Amino acid sequence: MLSTKVIEHCRVKGWWHEDVPAEYEEALRKLDVDLNSDFAQFYLHAEDGPTFYSRHQELYQICWVIENTVYLQDMHISQLTLGLPEAYIPLDSFEGEGGFFYNRQTGEVVLVELGESIELFLNGESKPQWADFNAFLEWYFGLAEVTTL
């Protein structure tokens, strides 16, 4: 489930929409994503165009990208090229030789980069940095940081 922090952040930004487009539900079904997951809740209700931007990186609005690009083909190519299991789907364009991937089976999110980072991950020597998609979003949007006065 998405945290109140993420939902409120999206509302304040004007990104949160109560109406869920049927084509977005279908896009997530194509990915074999649980429509009750925090991943689906975010992508069915939050939209700021084709991407979100934070931490100097773009994050796909997955549903929009599936509907308007060849994302599904690109997903398979990136999985084959990088050697990632099919459960991992790209959340960005992997620019700068690194990118975020969501595990459709566990809900974890990993940041991998070419070289040692991806080798350690594929060998099981490193774990995903975020245990769930909500934790990733809180980090990505800067909502998880503790501020001291």
Side-chain angles (χ1 to χ4, degrees):
M1 202 64 164
L2 282 180
S3 69
T4 305
K5 283 195 270 188
V6 170
I7 294 170
E8 284 307 310
H9 175 75
C10 292
R11 281 192 174 124
V12 166
K13 294 282 194 179
W15 301 342
W16 193 260
H17 310 282
E18 293 302 326
D19 295 333
V20 174
E23 59 270 13
Y24 279 17
E25 286 184 352
E26 182 56 31
L28 293 177
R29 283 188 190 96
K30 288 177 187 175
L31 286 178
D32 197 25
V33 168
D34 178 1
L35 294 182
N36 294 313
S37 66
D38 51 0
F39 182 89
Q41 187 179 12
F42 178 74
Y43 284 115
L44 291 175
H45 294 281
E47 186 164 13
D48 184 35
T51 61
F52 299 93
Y53 187 79
S54 186
R55 297 193 178 266
H56 308 291
Q57 298 178 355
E58 283 187 317
L59 184 71
Y60 289 149
Q61 198 317 337
I62 293 289
C63 298
W64 188 96
V65 172
I66 288 172
E67 289 297 307
N68 294 285
T69 71
V70 291
Y71 174 84
L72 295 174
Q73 292 171 327
D74 290 345
M75 176 185 75
H76 293 297
I77 290 168
S78 68
Q79 289 167 338
L80 289 171
T81 303
L82 298 172
L84 289 170
E86 286 185 19
Y88 285 92
I89 59 173
L91 299 179
D92 60 19
S93 62
F94 204 77
E95 287 183 25
E97 299 182 346
F100 299 109
F101 291 83
Y102 173 73
N103 185 320
R104 296 178 277 192
Q105 295 171 350
T106 67
E108 297 169 317
V109 178
V110 63
L111 168 61
V112 292
E113 297 171 325
L114 291 180
E116 185 178 10
S117 168
I118 196 164
E119 288 175 24
L120 290 172
F121 179 71
L122 292 174
N123 291 333
E125 297 174 43
S126 69
K127 301 283 182 212
Q129 293 88 337
W130 298 276
D132 58 64
F133 191 68
N134 186 78
F136 167 73
L137 288 174
E138 287 187 7
W139 170 83
Y140 181 76
F141 290 125
L143 307 174
E145 278 107 34
V146 178
T147 8
T148 57
L149 298 176

